[in-house]
Amino acid sequence: MGNAAQRVTGLGDAARLRILLDVIKAMSAETDFDRLLQLIMEETTRAMEADRSTLFLVDHQRGELWSRVALGLQHQEIRFKSHLGIAGHVATTGELLNIPDAYEDPRFNQEVDRQTGYRTRSILCMPVRNKVGTIVGVLQVLNKRSGVFTAADQELLDALASQAAIALENAKLYEDLRRAYGELKQLDAMKGNFLANISHELRTPLAPIIGYVEMLLSGRPGPLTDRQRSHLTVVEQAVQRLQGLIEDLLAFVQMDQGELAIQARAFAIGPLLEERGRLIMPRATEKGLMVEFGVPPELPDVRVDPKQIARALMLMLDNAVKFTPQGGRITLSAKAHVAPDDAPPGWQHGYVEVSLSDTGIGIPADKIPRIFDKFYQVDASATRSYGGTGLGLALVKQIMDAHGTRVDVESTPGVGSTFRVRLPIAEAHA
Ligand SMILES: Nc1ncnc2c1ncn2[C@@H]1O[C@H](COP(=O)(O)OP(=O)(O)O)[C@@H](O)[C@H]1O
Ligand SMILES: [Mg+2]
């Protein structure tokens, strides 16, 4: 590589290696496509001790070579048919060309020089190939400052071209990713707005339905027969269920858009657990499930948003009832624990751990991390028989996140599941 004469006039091997390393580092750091093109051309010119370099890219669809060159702050695009000129020859044959005097070579297009007033002397032109060997571009270097391009120059340009190919591919991937991410974010925002609007719209007509059903049931507009009363009661329950779903959807959307703030205060968790347990009793007994309580009478107060914690408990109890077959058992229990030594602020007084166990269908281990994703259901095909939207646990997670805590899940398919939540104990007041 390189002889003594060359070392005197040109860069030594060590210097070339250093330049190559610098260029590789710079190239791999650049993810903006246009800036990368510019960087490759500038660095190649510097490393090759030449006058100028151009990286032409192959546009396979249009059968053209193109490049963007900086003119001051502007970028100008050049395009020509991919078989024309020296670059075209290299792009079609895949052969490197080292031309000491351009005007001696019939493939050289002198017209370009006439138009630009530039005088091309020597040319070194190298194909740029991607991983699978397809020619994706041509790297062309003009006018070696002293003498002509040597074998060592060819080797250096070869190395630069391979690096350029990798960097270009990365930048392209990065750009695609960035675009896809932008589109996804926009879609997500649209979905959020849609959900917010739809839940508001659904809520509005429900209010008069509930109002009138309740009025009819009160007997004020006139006496009801037993049959009418029992039919209206079914309507009332269904509407209340619908209202609950819409409230959850609205809460979810508000949380998702950061509109629902947690309002934490010291609060007795024991009575809340019992009240929630009582609320699911009718559905549990109807399904032939046993409900057990393991809540000690003297639980300390916790510092939480009671409304949101009540909602989260209801969503988890709802799942326990839904996913436990007849004859099963649901256990709701709670226990106070002292704070560990490294308790974070707000948790120095210890915590109450609330556990909800069921003997239901269970969740496969690899699906557990996903059940808190919005709209996710382990068996979407079974949705019709179980019902639900897949939003419940996503809302539970949002609520727990907002409280600085999380839900731990243990589950064995066919045996049952346990959901555990830790809530911070409030400072005991005198
Ligand atoms: N106690 C449970 N036992 C078994 N699977 C559960 C339980 N709780 C949740 N899952 C699984 O997690 C999924 C997500 O729950 P959730 O977000 O509440 O949605 P939904 O109840 O509307 O289906 C459920 O569809 C179910 O597959
Ligand atoms: Mg649910």
Side-chain angles (χ1 to χ4, degrees):
M1 229 223 237
N3 51 40
Q6 215 180 296
R7 284 209 187 90
V8 177
T9 54
L11 292 165
D13 287 348
R16 285 169 174 272
L17 203 57
R18 194 157 343 101
I19 288 174
L20 186 59
L21 284 175
D22 283 351
V23 176
I24 292 173
K25 234 192 285 176
M27 279 187 199
S28 43
E30 186 56 76
T31 53
D32 178 89
F33 200 80
D34 273 345
R35 281 205 303 267
L36 179 67
L37 273 183
Q38 214 51 48
L39 178 87
I40 292 171
M41 298 194 260
E42 278 162 17
E43 292 299 322
T44 304
T45 305
R46 189 169 71 89
M48 302 298 297
E49 297 171 285
D51 220 23
R52 62 171 69 175
S53 305
T54 312
L55 175 59
F56 297 102
L57 296 170
V58 179
D59 181 337
H60 290 284
Q61 254 165 14
R62 291 165 66 168
E64 289 175 347
L65 288 177
W66 68 275
S67 185
R68 258 198 288 275
V69 288
L71 289 172
L73 288 177
Q74 300 286 338
H75 285 264
Q76 198 193 31
E77 191 167 297
I78 5 176
R79 274 185 176 273
F80 51 90
K81 285 290 157 205
S82 55
H83 61 276
L84 295 177
I86 299 295
H89 183 84
V90 171
T92 13
T93 62
E95 266 169 35
L96 149 131
L97 282 181
N98 186 352
I99 300 166
D101 184 356
Y103 282 77
E104 297 283 298
D105 195 305
R107 291 165 298 199
F108 178 66
N109 180 8
Q110 299 181 15
E111 187 54 33
V112 179
D113 271 11
R114 255 192 299 275
Q115 276 171 21
T116 58
Y118 186 76
R119 178 66 166 83
T120 306
R121 294 187 314 273
S122 53
I123 305 177
L124 185 58
C125 196
M126 175 81 68
V128 177
R129 295 175 192 273
N130 68 9
K131 280 199 296 277
V132 292
T134 312
I135 298 176
V136 293
V138 169
L139 190 51
Q140 176 179 271
V141 193
L142 299 185
N143 291 1
K144 176 86 179 173
R145 290 258 161 80
S146 57
V148 294
F149 292 107
T150 62
D153 288 329
Q154 289 183 17
E155 271 178 49
L156 183 58
L157 191 60
D158 193 19
L160 284 170
S162 327
Q163 284 312 313
I166 296 169
L168 284 170
E169 200 150 71
N170 285 344
K172 178 81 176 36
L173 279 176
Y174 195 83
E175 241 183 32
D176 289 351
L177 262 181
R178 201 161 27 193
R179 191 171 333 108
Y181 180 69
E183 282 166 11
L184 265 181
K185 262 187 33 186
Q186 223 179 334
L187 269 179
D188 200 54
M190 271 171 61
K191 197 176 61 194
N193 281 336
F194 171 74
L195 284 176
N197 290 338
I198 202 90
S199 38
H200 275 294
E201 291 300 317
L202 288 172
R203 193 157 66 156
T204 315
L206 270 188
I209 297 178
I210 292 180
Y212 280 111
V213 169
E214 276 169 2
M215 190 164 77
L216 288 171
L217 277 171
S218 75
R220 264 178 282 131
L224 293 172
T225 67
D226 284 351
R227 246 173 105 185
Q228 285 170 334
R229 176 171 302 280
S230 107
H231 289 171
L232 274 176
T233 308
V234 174
V235 173
E236 186 190 32
Q237 280 164 1
V239 176
Q240 273 166 355
R241 178 143 176 76
L242 190 55
Q243 195 181 29
L245 287 173
I246 292 168
E247 291 300 327
D248 289 345
L249 184 60
L250 199 58
F252 172 82
V253 172
Q254 285 172 335
M255 280 250 175
D256 213 30
Q257 303 192 331
E259 285 167 16
L260 197 71
I262 286 297
Q263 289 175 347
R265 60 179 171 90
F267 180 76
I269 185 75
L272 176 72
L273 292 173
E274 271 160 41
E275 180 225 30
R276 295 285 111 171
R278 264 201 311 279
L279 274 177
I280 57 136
M281 275 306 222
R283 272 197 299 137
T285 28
E286 192 186 329
K287 237 190 127 175
L289 304 179
M290 220 162 77
V291 180
E292 282 181 359
F293 285 99
V295 181
E298 292 292 306
L299 272 180
D301 282 4
V302 292
R303 179 169 295 280
V304 297
D305 184 327
K307 208 174 140 205
Q308 300 308 331
I309 292 297
R311 190 196 287 280
L313 282 169
M314 208 55 217
L315 289 164
M316 289 192 286
L317 280 164
D318 189 67
N319 284 345
V321 173
K322 183 160 68 173
F323 295 109
T324 305
Q326 193 173 12
R329 192 175 57 246
I330 293 170
T331 311
L332 183 59
S333 57
K335 191 168 182 280
H337 295 261
V338 293
D341 287 342
D342 57 352
W347 292 77
Q348 311 91 323
H349 310 292
Y351 58 89
V352 170
E353 186 171 77
V354 178
S355 309
L356 175 61
S357 298
D358 63 54
T359 59
I361 60 171
I363 306 156
D366 62 321
K367 302 296 192 311
I368 290 179
R370 299 211 51 198
I371 59 173
F372 293 97
D373 291 351
K374 46 186 163 181
F375 307 119
Y376 182 80
Q377 296 178 309
V378 170
D379 185 359
S381 65
T383 306
R384 276 218 187 80
S385 52
Y386 289 118
T389 55
L391 277 178
L393 287 181
L395 182 52
V396 170
K397 181 178 185 309
Q398 284 176 330
I399 293 171
M400 296 312 162
D401 281 352
H403 282 86
T405 187
R406 61 163 201 271
V407 189
D408 291 312
V409 185
E410 273 168 45
S411 189
T412 310
V415 177
S417 314
T418 299
F419 288 72
R420 280 196 194 85
V421 186
R422 294 176 176 185
L423 303 173
I425 291 177
E427 192 172 356
H429 34 247

